[in-house]
Amino acid sequence: MKHTIHVDLDARGYDIHVGTDLPAETLELSADGERALIVSDANVDPLYGDAVAALLEARGFMPARAVVPAGEKTKNMRHVAALYADCVAAGLDRRAVVVALGGGMVGDLAGFVAATFLRGVRLVQVPTSLLAMVDSSVGGKTGVNLKSGKNLVGAFYQPVTVLADLRRLESLPEREFRSGLAEVVKYGVIWDAELFRTLEREADAIGRRDFGVLEPIVARCCEIKAEVVAVDERESGVRSILNFGHTLGHGIEQVSGYGGRWLHGEAVSLGMVYAAALSTAARGFATDDRDRLRALLSALGLPVHPGAEGFEGGWTALRDAMNTDKKTRGRVPRFVLAERIGAVVFDCVVDETVLREAFSAAFADSN
Ligand SMILES: NC(=O)c1ccc[n+]([C@@H]2O[C@H](COP(=O)([O-])OP(=O)(O)OC[C@H]3O[C@@H](n4cnc5c(N)ncnc54)[C@H](O)[C@@H]3O)[C@@H](O)[C@H]2O)c1
């Protein structure tokens, strides 16, 4: 089975293909000797670089390869500059394509290079992590980090197509896979109660990476992101619902250091537990639903509590970190809150006392 999801952005619209063992024809582009640069990281290139190069050759491209070190530290301007040099060395012209083969780090980095080299060459996203398949490869946000913060430089730049082949998830480390599931759960909470029920029902099969079960779930997540992005490409309104659980989540990552104690999805899982507690306190989110969310995250192997050692710096550090969230205005963070599973509201301001009490309620026995 294969799912094709169209992202409806008029002339910049594109298809996302989700399947297992996708054939070369899935790449809708064909070429007559045009250049392609496959950008990947040192973990992913040895696993899938040859196969993707063969796929591009089968479609008439002449692919070259660029391999960057794995890890978030690579997502910076120094590697952007190095990749521009690779683009030149590979002879990329305006008809060329850049192929981002990897997780979200490679997708954001190579996407930014594609957006800016020659003022933009075509970008194909070939996500290989679960997070990249359901989130970062869709929607057109590209960019890199500065020393002073994450994703501070970037561009909205839509790919011409996305090829999400679930087979590539087989090699994804367990913790990375589980971390990606946090974003999957998020889609259920913000948009689709039926998806949420499916996740509850199929938690074991999902944990085993049963592709028959996962494929329609990944496709549904892409569909939801596509719908949201089509309405609000540049995040001036409803797109911010994709940040459910991310206000505290980003704070947790910031305080503990990116790539530190918590992976992104793990921090988002904890952030969703907090957002659910806030939702109950401020928006009447039923306690049953709050508990279902926590139970589902647990069943999928995601953290719902920081454990006995608590959060580094405790509430004070996390509250401070929330002030640097991009939704915060004048030290007042704006939250996405759930009214019920499948329906959220955004831009919510919550009383300071409630912020603190919800933290204690969500992470009782923590600091
Ligand atoms: N653009 C967006 O809309 C958006 C959305 C969410 C996150 N992001 C960005 O995505 C990044 C995180 O993405 P990520 O979690 O995929 O991290 P990542 O790209 O660093 O990948 C995580 C690890 O898994 C490895 N890996 C990836 N696919 C693999 C596979 N199939 N087999 C074996 N190893 C594999 C990578 O080499 C890396 O070590 C962050 O930079 C974040 O800012 C962007």
Side-chain angles (χ1 to χ4, degrees):
M1 267 272 277
K2 171 176 165 302
H3 294 75
T4 301
I5 299 116
H6 185 69
V7 185
D8 191 3
L9 290 167
D10 300 322
R12 285 171 300 108
Y14 56 96
D15 287 340
I16 305 162
H17 302 279
V18 179
T20 308
D21 303 317
L22 293 171
E25 303 78 67
T26 315
L27 181 70
E28 293 152 350
L29 315 175
S30 55
D32 190 10
E34 274 90 330
R35 296 288 175 161
L37 182 68
I38 304 169
V39 180
S40 194
D41 74 23
N43 293 335
V44 175
D45 180 79
L47 295 169
Y48 306 113
D50 288 347
V52 171
L55 185 149
L56 286 161
E57 278 163 8
R59 302 296 294 166
F61 285 96
M62 279 173 55
R65 313 250 285 261
V67 182
V68 297
E72 188 65 21
K73 283 198 177 73
T74 297
K75 214 177 92 172
N76 61 32
M77 289 305 288
R78 194 165 62 78
H79 282 98
V80 169
L83 286 169
Y84 289 149
D86 291 328
C87 290
V88 173
L92 263 60
D93 61 17
R94 296 295 302 268
R95 294 169 313 148
V97 295
V98 166
V99 178
L101 170 65
M105 187 285 284
V106 163
D108 282 8
L109 174 71
F112 184 66
V113 168
T116 47
F117 183 69
L118 301 179
R119 297 196 181 85
V121 296
R122 289 177 294 172
L123 168 67
V124 174
Q125 290 276 8
V126 184
T128 62
S129 69
L130 181 59
L131 177 132
M133 289 185 189
V134 299
D135 191 356
S136 59
S137 68
V138 180
K141 280 193 189 176
T142 70
V144 296
N145 306 325
L146 297 182
K147 280 215 175 64
S148 41
K150 234 178 104 82
N151 298 327
L152 289 184
V153 174
F156 283 98
Y157 194 68
Q158 301 295 341
V160 291
T161 188
V162 180
L163 299 187
D165 193 326
L166 270 69
R167 184 69 67 195
R168 301 196 179 105
L169 294 177
E170 273 173 357
S171 54
L172 188 68
E174 182 64 14
R175 203 173 152 205
E176 297 288 350
F177 177 76
R178 302 259 169 201
S179 177
L181 288 172
E183 302 291 351
V184 173
V185 171
K186 177 194 77 181
Y187 288 113
V189 178
I190 64 170
W191 203 259
D192 187 347
E194 185 51 44
L195 171 65
F196 193 91
R197 280 191 288 277
T198 304
L199 299 175
E200 290 180 308
R201 202 172 54 242
E202 301 287 3
D204 286 348
I206 293 167
R208 290 194 306 275
R209 307 189 201 186
D210 178 329
F211 292 146
V213 171
L214 264 180
E215 196 181 300
I217 291 173
V218 170
R220 181 66 188 133
C221 293
C222 292
E223 221 170 67
I224 295 170
K225 183 146 185 192
E227 262 183 74
V228 173
V229 168
V231 179
D232 178 19
E233 186 182 3
R234 286 175 175 256
E235 199 166 332
S236 49
V238 69
R239 186 167 177 163
S240 67
I241 67 172
L242 297 169
N243 290 315
F244 179 73
H246 284 59
T247 314
L248 185 75
H250 283 149
I252 292 171
E253 280 185 286
Q254 193 184 313
V255 171
S256 62
Y258 294 97
R261 180 175 168 206
W262 306 103
L263 294 179
H264 176 71
E266 294 167 345
V268 168
S269 177
L270 292 159
M272 287 196 285
V273 169
Y274 178 60
L278 268 188
S279 303
T280 298
R283 300 295 301 199
F285 186 50
T287 50
D288 272 4
D289 286 344
R290 180 199 63 194
D291 296 345
R292 277 173 71 200
L293 172 56
R294 196 183 175 100
L296 175 59
L297 293 167
S298 262
L300 294 172
L302 284 157
V304 294
H305 193 282
E309 58 184 293
F311 289 108
E312 234 172 315
W315 168 250
T316 314
L318 292 175
R319 177 64 192 85
D320 265 3
M322 285 199 281
N323 286 336
T324 61
D325 186 88
K326 60 181 188 287
K327 300 282 170 317
T328 296
R329 277 176 252 150
R331 300 181 66 83
V332 180
R334 315 265 152 166
F335 290 89
V336 180
L337 297 180
E339 295 196 313
R340 56 179 194 282
I341 287 177
V344 290
V345 282
F346 59 95
D347 224 5
C348 301
V349 171
V350 182
D351 188 81
E352 241 357 277
T353 322
V354 179
L355 292 183
R356 174 74 181 92
E357 285 171 0
F359 182 79
S360 304
F363 307 116
D365 309 324
S366 175
N367 46 18

